[in-house]
Amino acid sequence: MARIALLVVVALVAATPAAAEVPKAPSGLKLYKPPKNLKAYQQGDLIWARKVENALPQASRTWTLLYRSTSLRGKAIGVSGFVVLPKGKPPKGGWPVVSWAHGTSGIADSCAPSRDPQGPYTAYAAPQFGAWLKAGYAIANTDYEGLGTPGVHPYLVGRSEGRGVVDIVRASRQLDGRLARRYVIAGHSQGGHAALFAAALAPKRAPELRLRGVAAFAPASHLDLLSRALPSFTSPSGLSGLAALVLRGVASVYPQIEPSQIASDRALPLLPQVDKVCLGELNAPTSFGGIAPADLVRPGADLEPLNKLLARQNPNLRIAAPVLIAQGTSDTTVLPFTTDQLDSELRARRGNQVRYLTYPDVEHVGIVGAADRVTRRFLRARLK
């Protein structure tokens, strides 16, 4: 009997995935510099990771990691991010994963959320992160291509963002074998845009995983329409810094876009700041925050090539998993009419399941908290 009991115990232990053997990351910022032999890694492979201090009391462990992804030019690259694990024992099948796509932080490497998980570009979502951890979900937060790691971040270039959001789920499961195959994607602003692209890419990019749903808060869309509307915005605003990021990000992928032929004499000397400082500083009065969007473009500049490329970044996509979209009606960053139009476009695609919620008097950042309860119900239903 003792022998039988021992065999049962061994079998039960073997059936429970254990934490993986984690390749140790080099010290300091060297974590963000990929090894030379990236071809030895498969898409979504964990390269290395480092345990860091938990930023959230609901977390049992937080890791900063580097994983292998692919650039739009087909080159193997390293992408960074962080992963947060819940407390307690995982359920049967493992902890489900929420792959979080963060909102705009900037293009400079110092703006990568993994360099400061408690920083301003993730702190506003901390209540939601805490609730998700308490519910028993692991959280994976990509920095996106080129943000923190070598190269330029292709800001609001959808396929680039989407690859990072999906690939970190694979890497997270290699980091800790107690994570489940089932996952959802959620994101805000730039991250809402990234979340929709990631959900469209997911079935082919990671067929072994099980995407259950996607939640997009104030997702960026219709960038070409906003580009054409720039002359209408005659007062300095935060849209100018965002426009500068868009121009730099698109030009990094599409060499036919020459910023020097588009930016005005006032805007052109400020463009180098995009590679050096984060969004808050870009919005300062001494930077792009002091220029009206109408004054960003050089007189006579041909914006049509840029606008055609921006139109290709619209997240009007075929998405196999259920979609939840939330938008505040007082949002002056992602304008509500653009999300209204995106909702109509997504619904018109055969097979898409879209639920669209609007929140009166809620602005851009506040939408994450305003939609918290309905999002939690959505995640709970999708991750059973």
Side-chain angles (χ1 to χ4, degrees):
M1 289 293 293
R3 178 179 173 82
I4 294 174
L6 178 61
L7 289 174
V8 170
V9 170
V10 170
L12 287 173
V13 171
T16 304
E21 185 75 23
V22 179
K24 186 177 179 181
S27 61
L29 295 180
K30 292 179 181 177
L31 178 146
Y32 295 89
K33 185 178 181 180
K36 294 181 179 179
N37 64 332
L38 275 179
K39 290 184 178 179
Y41 296 86
Q42 299 298 313
Q43 173 185 294
D45 274 356
L46 175 69
I47 297 173
W48 50 51
R50 177 195 303 150
K51 186 179 178 182
V52 297
E53 182 181 355
N54 288 326
L56 296 167
Q58 300 87 350
S60 67
R61 181 168 294 182
T62 305
W63 298 89
T64 301
L65 73 159
L66 188 74
Y67 59 98
R68 195 267 204 195
S69 191
T70 312
S71 73
L72 293 184
R73 297 178 181 177
K75 180 182 177 182
I77 57 172
V79 176
S80 55
F82 66 88
V83 173
V84 190
L85 302 182
K87 293 180 178 179
K89 294 182 179 179
K92 183 179 179 180
W95 287 307
V97 181
V98 179
S99 187
W100 173 254
H102 67 84
T104 302
S105 59
I107 280 179
D109 285 343
S110 60
C111 311
S114 71
R115 296 202 178 185
D116 184 9
Q118 301 182 66
Y121 302 111
T122 52
Y124 71 95
Q128 286 68 45
F129 278 24
W132 298 344
L133 289 167
K134 192 174 180 180
Y137 311 146
I139 300 169
N141 187 126
T142 181
D143 288 333
Y144 306 130
E145 175 185 349
L147 188 51
T149 49
V152 179
H153 169 44
Y155 178 68
L156 286 178
V157 176
R159 286 189 299 132
S160 170
E161 297 168 333
R163 289 176 180 182
V165 172
V166 174
D167 290 349
I168 195 172
V169 181
R170 268 189 176 163
S172 300
R173 297 188 70 245
Q174 292 182 15
L175 179 68
D176 195 302
R178 296 172 294 176
L179 270 58
R181 292 181 183 271
R182 64 193 189 283
Y183 71 109
V184 294
I185 297 170
H188 171 240
S189 192
Q190 177 192 5
H193 179 267
L196 294 171
F197 269 93
L201 291 171
K204 289 185 177 180
R205 190 157 186 87
E208 81 284 5
L209 301 177
R210 299 291 178 262
L211 177 63
R212 299 301 194 194
V214 54
F217 308 100
S221 68
H222 299 96
L223 302 175
D224 57 319
L225 299 184
L226 295 173
S227 172
R228 292 186 173 93
L230 284 179
S232 303
F233 299 96
T234 56
S235 298
S237 75
L239 292 177
S240 295
L242 295 172
L245 291 171
V246 168
L247 180 59
R248 178 70 172 111
V250 172
S252 72
V253 178
Y254 302 103
Q256 65 267 39
I257 303 301
E258 291 283 352
S260 61
Q261 297 177 9
I262 294 174
S264 67
D265 289 340
R266 288 187 64 189
L268 191 59
L270 298 175
L271 276 180
Q273 294 184 20
V274 171
D275 291 324
K276 299 176 182 178
V277 301
C278 300
L279 181 62
E281 292 171 87
L282 289 178
N283 285 336
T286 53
S287 186
F288 285 97
I291 303 178
D295 297 327
L296 291 173
V297 179
R298 182 173 297 280
D302 180 12
L303 294 184
E304 200 52 32
L306 174 63
N307 291 337
K308 287 181 179 179
L309 292 172
L310 293 179
R312 288 163 53 183
Q313 311 313 319
N314 189 42
N316 171 21
L317 303 161
R318 169 76 174 88
I319 298 173
V323 178
L324 173 67
I325 298 176
Q327 174 69 45
T329 62
S330 295
D331 195 330
T332 58
T333 302
V334 172
L335 304 180
F337 86 89
T338 62
T339 311
D340 293 345
Q341 186 167 333
L342 176 63
D343 171 57
S344 298
E345 292 167 345
L346 288 170
R347 288 175 185 273
R349 285 188 174 269
R350 185 176 181 181
N352 281 358
Q353 304 174 53
V354 183
R355 185 183 181 191
Y356 180 36
L357 301 174
T358 57
Y359 292 80
D361 304 320
V362 173
E363 42 71 53
H364 188 60
V365 174
I367 189 60
V368 179
D372 177 45
R373 285 190 178 183
V374 69
T375 305
R376 279 196 248 174
R377 289 196 296 268
F378 176 76
L379 297 185
R380 186 165 59 245
R382 301 311 308 160
L383 291 174
K384 284 183 179 179

